[in-house]
């Protein structure tokens, strides 16, 4: 008599959230008691953003369905329209598959859709990276907290996040502090020397930065200007850089217009997506990271890598001493670059400790997913006033 496998369904809509949990997916695949499937949507299926579903297929993670939900637009309404397409496109397939648990990460619309489906369909859910908070005013904050309230179980990466979930009325027995599973790859991915990377990209750079800068809600019309300020500052400081395309948030087209303006500049290498191993080694060998990506806040400290976070995005988030927060403006950015490259900063950087885990989270997370009886957490009945 065969034992029924635990059916796990994960939602992913963009390369960044897939990379956060991909190590967990691969580990779950190795377990004979688990049946894992993915709902793939959004930017994963867009050529404009690198058609990153190929990364999932390369990892041999089974895909339950592909939902072409991304609205090819640059407006404030495009993300909510994309969410409506996703929920309409996947709901019948999800209900037919009837998973034992749905998992998702972060604060984007695919996570919100997954949480809604779980709540209305009485399917237990697991939310990764809840309890985080920034003071930048971005919609990601209330969306993240809303997803947490809809979710059954929380896997958080810091004790502070546990406390924040308790403050919004979540029960302690539903919250597990597990560290950041994305850090495991920095411990496990083989090292590629800088010289080999430069040969691969046909560059003779002795030093370089990694630039990842995304548009900011409320400043969409300035997205290209803010991005160009960083490029100009790097040029004036004679710093070469590997430069990422933006995410799908409103304002991305203005950023891409700026990329088109500089695409032939030999001091920059623009990319949409890299293989996981290549990107990790680009970070390992970089002089510093610049922009406003969460990877600078949450992941860079484990290398450790100095980070210049420019502008409002990510402000207020818990970070290690490797991160410098600076306002927009070419001169402000240049001053921060000088500081992150200074001898004093580099000496202190070597003492940096990652506050989000030690790179050994995945095994314990997978064990919890296998052993937890999620059916006990389907309904939320506790009154937060008691």
């Amino acid at each position: 008599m065969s034992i029924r496998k635990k059916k796990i369904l994960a939602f992913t809509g963009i390369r960044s959230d897939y990379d956060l949990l991909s190590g967990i997916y691969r580990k779950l695949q190795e377990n004979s008691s688990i049946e894992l499937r993915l709902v793939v949507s959004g930017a994963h299926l867009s050529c404009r953003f690198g058609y990153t579903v190929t990364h999932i297929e390369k990892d041999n993670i089974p895909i339950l369905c592909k939902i072409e939900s991304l609205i090819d637009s640059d407006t404030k309404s495009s993300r909510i329209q994309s969410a409506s397409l996703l929920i309409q496109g996947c709901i019948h397939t999800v209900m037919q598959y009837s998973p034992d648990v749905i998992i998702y990460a972060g604060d984007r619309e695919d996570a919100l859709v997954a949480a809604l489906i779980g709540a209305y369909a009485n399917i237990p859910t697991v939310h990764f990276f809840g309890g985080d908070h920034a003071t930048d005013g971005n919609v990601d904050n209330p969306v993240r907290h809303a997803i947490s309230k809809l979710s059954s179980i929380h896997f958080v990466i810091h004790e502070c996040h546990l406390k924040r979930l308790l403050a919004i009325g979540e029960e302690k027995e539903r919250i597990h502090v597990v560290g950041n599973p994305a850090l495991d790859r920095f411990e496990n991915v083989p090292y590629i020397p800088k010289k080999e990377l430069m040969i691969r990209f046909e560059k003779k750079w002795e030093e370089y930065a990694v630039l990842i800068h995304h548009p900011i809600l409320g400043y969409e019309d300035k997205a290209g200007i803010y991005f160009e300020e960083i490029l100009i500052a790097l040029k004036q400081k004679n710093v070469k850089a590997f430069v990422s395309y933006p995410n799908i948030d409103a304002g991305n087209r203005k950023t891409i217009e700026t990329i088109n303006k500089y695409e032939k500049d030999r001091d920059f290498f623009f990319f949409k997506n890299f293989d996981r191993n290549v990107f990790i080694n680009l970070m390992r060998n970089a002089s510093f990271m610049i922009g406003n990506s969460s990877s600078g806040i949450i992941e860079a400290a484990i290398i450790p890598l100095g980070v210049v976070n420019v502008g409002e995005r990510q402000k207020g988030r818990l970070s290690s001493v490797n991160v410098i927060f600076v306002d927009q403006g070419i001169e402000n950015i240049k001053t921060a670059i000088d500081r992150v490259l200074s001898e004093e900063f580099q000496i202190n950087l070597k003492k940096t400790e990652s506050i989000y885990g030690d790179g050994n989270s995945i095994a314990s997370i997978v064990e919890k997913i296998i052993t937890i009886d999620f059916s006990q957490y389907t309904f939320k009945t506790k009154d937060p006033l008691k």
Side-chain angles (χ1 to χ4, degrees), residues 320-334:
S320 299
V321 296
N322 64 308
V323 183
I324 298 171
F325 290 91
V326 60
D327 292 333
Q328 288 288 160
I330 296 170
E331 294 304 316
N332 291 333
I333 298 168
K334 287 166 60 178

Side-chain angles (χ1 to χ4, degrees), residues 217-282:
L217 182 69
Y219 299 89
E220 296 89 352
D221 60 330
K222 296 182 179 179
I225 296 172
Y226 286 167
F227 180 66
E228 188 169 17
E229 286 180 349
I230 302 175
L231 295 178
I232 292 172
L234 291 170
K235 288 283 290 182
Q236 292 184 2
K237 298 304 298 183
N238 194 31
V239 176
K240 322 298 184 186
F242 286 90
V243 186
S244 172
Y245 270 64
N247 62 19
I248 62 175
D249 292 355
N252 69 79
R253 287 191 178 180
K254 291 187 179 296
T255 301
I256 293 172
E257 287 174 5
T258 303
I259 288 175
N260 293 337
K261 178 179 175 181
Y262 285 84
E263 64 180 349
K264 295 183 180 179
D265 193 311
R266 295 184 178 181
D267 289 340
F268 302 126
F269 186 104
F270 297 99
F271 65 93
K272 293 182 178 179
N273 289 287
F274 279 138
D275 177 84
R276 181 184 302 113
N277 293 4
V278 171
F279 181 72
I280 289 171
N281 278 287
L282 279 177

Side-chain angles (χ1 to χ4, degrees), residues 9 12 36-41 45 53-54 56-57 60-67:
L9 184 63
T12 177
L36 173 68
R37 297 291 184 270
L38 300 188
V39 173
V40 179
S41 63
L45 303 173
V53 66
T54 56
I56 300 172
E57 293 168 341
N60 292 316
I61 307 299
I63 296 173
L64 179 68
C65 59
K66 300 177 183 178
I67 309 297

